[in-house]
Amino acid sequence: MAKQFIVFAITLALASTTLSKMILLTNDDGWAVTNIRATYYKLKETGHDVYLVAPVSQRTGWGGTYDIPKAPSLETDGDFSYPKAGAPSWGHEVDDDHIWYFDGSPASCFAFAESYLLPTHFNISDKIDLVVSGPNEGQNVSPSLFTLSGTLGAVYNAVYRDIPAIAFSGPSTNNSFYQDDLDLDDPLDASTIYAIKITEMVTQLFETQGVNERALPIGLGLNVNFPAVGYLNETCTNPRWVRTRLTGDPSVMPGLAYNSTSNLFYFAFQPGGDALRTCQIGDCTLPSEYSIVLSGECATSVSVFSIDYDAPIHLGNEAANLIAPLFEN
């Protein structure tokens, strides 16, 4: 019996070591929304060392922009008046110094955490194992939203710095204050379901790679889009994972539409052009993430992206040959 207990204890210790990773959690909807708080607690339940650093107020649509505080104190209230104007432009929960806000965009929240907060306040440097961004309130599908999304802006900025990163998004857009709506025991709450699924993927990555390996290959990230779940679709509480590609038919792009009554323009999605539908690189047999989102099935799209933006060799040569005489001088 003693021998069996020792073996069991060693197994638990190894599992704990495998799962005990440092995760930086951010988003573009704000540090006080229910979605990110649910994910924070679910990731911590598995033994991860999680640091939440997110905008003090909504920064949707900021992409990879670096927005930073204009003053050492807030000039306006944070979302949900939490905190209020006059508070420091960056700070943490009174009862949890792992939960921080920053008066900036998601990309600058990541930079603030990596270059200042972790090394200065926690004596930590070069140890972030994974950046998790989201879950966003609203899906981020197709390459045009990849560039527009603040959720993804934090992710590709992390990948630029050799840190594995994943963006998670879903159609739940209730934009609720965590102190009002957080319920980690509600099996139909979308925030809780997304948090559980995010933890499932993160845990699988770390278990597969082991203690000392990267969560993802260098230069790569993941874009994940959940379907409607729980109270939004009670038939879907445990969506399956489907591998997809960013591009493909159909894809969408942001655009403008004109309202003749108000004489104003408004944001509207439009069908993507041939450039977004044509497969030029990657696995062309994969469905587009937008097709999975539109399917109405209980399925989550998972797209692997690269920050190597160079064109495929044959297309690069075709374009360069058009200006070949310029290279002869």
Side-chain angles (χ1 to χ4, degrees), residues 238-260:
N238 185 26
R240 62 189 177 92
W241 305 100
V242 177
R243 188 178 169 193
T244 54
R245 56 184 292 111
L246 291 175
T247 59
D249 192 22
S251 288
V252 293
M253 58 180 290
L256 294 178
Y258 175 67
N259 185 322
S260 59

Side-chain angles (χ1 to χ4, degrees), residues 142-156:
S142 298
S144 56
L145 285 172
F146 175 93
T147 59
L148 179 69
S149 164
T151 304
L152 276 147
V155 164
Y156 53 71

Side-chain angles (χ1 to χ4, degrees), residues 7-295:
V7 171
F8 179 67
I10 292 174
T11 301
L12 278 180
L14 290 174
S16 176
T17 302
T18 300
L19 292 176
S20 183
K21 299 284 190 174
M22 179 177 292
I23 298 174
L24 176 60
L25 176 63
T26 190
N27 70 358
D28 68 4
D29 294 309
W31 78 310
V33 297
T34 305
N35 272 359
I36 196 170
R37 295 303 179 103
T39 298
Y40 173 77
Y41 290 115
K42 286 299 181 182
L43 287 172
K44 283 177 65 72
E45 283 180 8
T46 61
H48 299 304
D49 188 17
V50 187
Y51 295 83
L52 188 164
V53 184
V56 72
S57 56
Q58 181 72 248
R59 290 294 192 278
T60 292
W62 283 67
T65 301
Y66 271 70
D67 176 48
I68 58 177
K70 308 298 189 297
S73 59
L74 296 175
E75 298 176 351
T76 59
D77 290 351
D79 285 348
F80 313 107
S81 296
Y82 190 77
K84 292 187 176 297
S89 288
W90 54 90
H92 62 82
E93 289 282 13
V94 174
D95 59 352
D96 192 337
D97 69 352
H98 278 43
I99 300 179
W100 287 71
Y101 68 85
F102 183 71
D103 188 18
S105 61
S108 58
C109 285
F110 159 74
F112 162 75
E114 184 208 27
S115 63
Y116 174 78
L117 178 64
L118 294 178
T120 301
H121 285 259
F122 298 97
N123 197 28
I124 296 170
S125 60
D126 300 326
K127 290 185 179 180
I128 301 174
D129 293 301
L130 182 68
V131 169
V132 171
S133 188
N136 185 63
E137 297 182 351
Q139 291 157 324
N140 285 308
V141 291
S142 298
S144 56
L145 285 172
F146 175 93
T147 59
L148 179 69
S149 164
T151 304
L152 276 147
V155 164
Y156 53 71
N157 271 278
V159 178
Y160 291 159
R161 290 166 175 77
D162 302 335
I163 301 174
I166 310 174
F168 292 94
S169 304
S172 174
T173 56
N174 61 349
N175 193 239
S176 63
F177 186 30
Y178 82 96
Q179 292 186 6
D180 297 331
D181 285 352
L182 183 65
D183 187 351
L184 298 176
D185 297 319
D186 186 347
L188 291 178
D189 183 85
S191 297
T192 301
I193 294 171
Y194 293 153
I196 291 171
K197 296 300 290 185
I198 288 170
T199 303
E200 178 184 314
M201 174 174 281
V202 169
T203 299
Q204 183 63 66
L205 277 175
F206 288 145
E207 287 183 347
T208 302
Q209 293 298 80
V211 178
N212 297 317
E213 299 297 322
R214 292 175 52 86
L216 291 167
I218 194 166
L220 300 182
L222 300 181
N223 185 35
V224 179
N225 280 280
F226 293 115
V229 298
Y231 291 114
L232 297 177
N233 178 6
E234 295 190 14
T235 67
C236 182
T237 57
N238 185 26
R240 62 189 177 92
W241 305 100
V242 177
R243 188 178 169 193
T244 54
R245 56 184 292 111
L246 291 175
T247 59
D249 192 22
S251 288
V252 293
M253 58 180 290
L256 294 178
Y258 175 67
N259 185 322
S260 59
T261 302
S262 64
N263 193 31
L264 293 171
F265 292 91
Y266 60 94
F267 178 90
F269 286 113
Q270 299 173 346
D274 289 341
L276 290 181
R277 294 193 296 267
T278 302
C279 181
Q280 297 178 327
I281 194 170
D283 186 348
C284 298
T285 67
L286 296 174
S288 70
E289 51 191 13
Y290 196 55
S291 69
I292 296 301
V293 167
L294 286 178
S295 70

